[in-house]
Amino acid sequence: MDLNLIFKIAGIGIVVAILNILLNKSGREEQGTMIIIAGLIAVMLILAGEISELFSVLEKLFKK
């Protein structure tokens, strides 16, 4: 596992949390919720690529 992956996910989480707090304070709860959903989708897309790579490595390992 790459350490950069952890930093990317943590960075997305921090940015989403700050934006959510700012939007909730300004009375835009709906946009805050959409930011959270967008952050979750971004993290899921990053993880999907990593999981796909993991399955490829496992397939190559057990094919021998």
Side-chain angles (χ1 to χ4, degrees):
M1 180 191 257
D2 194 17
L3 192 60
N4 288 332
L5 177 66
I6 296 172
F7 287 140
K8 282 181 191 177
I9 293 173
I12 290 172
I14 290 169
V15 169
V16 166
I18 291 172
L19 288 175
N20 185 33
I21 291 170
L22 290 175
L23 288 170
N24 282 339
K25 294 281 184 179
S26 67
R28 297 180 177 179
E29 290 84 14
E30 295 86 12
Q31 284 88 2
T33 303
M34 295 305 261
I35 291 291
I36 290 173
I37 293 171
L40 284 173
I41 290 171
V43 169
M44 290 298 201
L45 288 173
I46 292 170
L47 290 178
E50 294 295 321
I51 291 172
S52 173
E53 185 179 327
L54 173 67
F55 285 145
S56 297
V57 169
L58 288 175
E59 183 180 12
K60 288 178 186 176
L61 179 69
F62 288 114
K63 235 179 186 178
K64 292 183 179 181

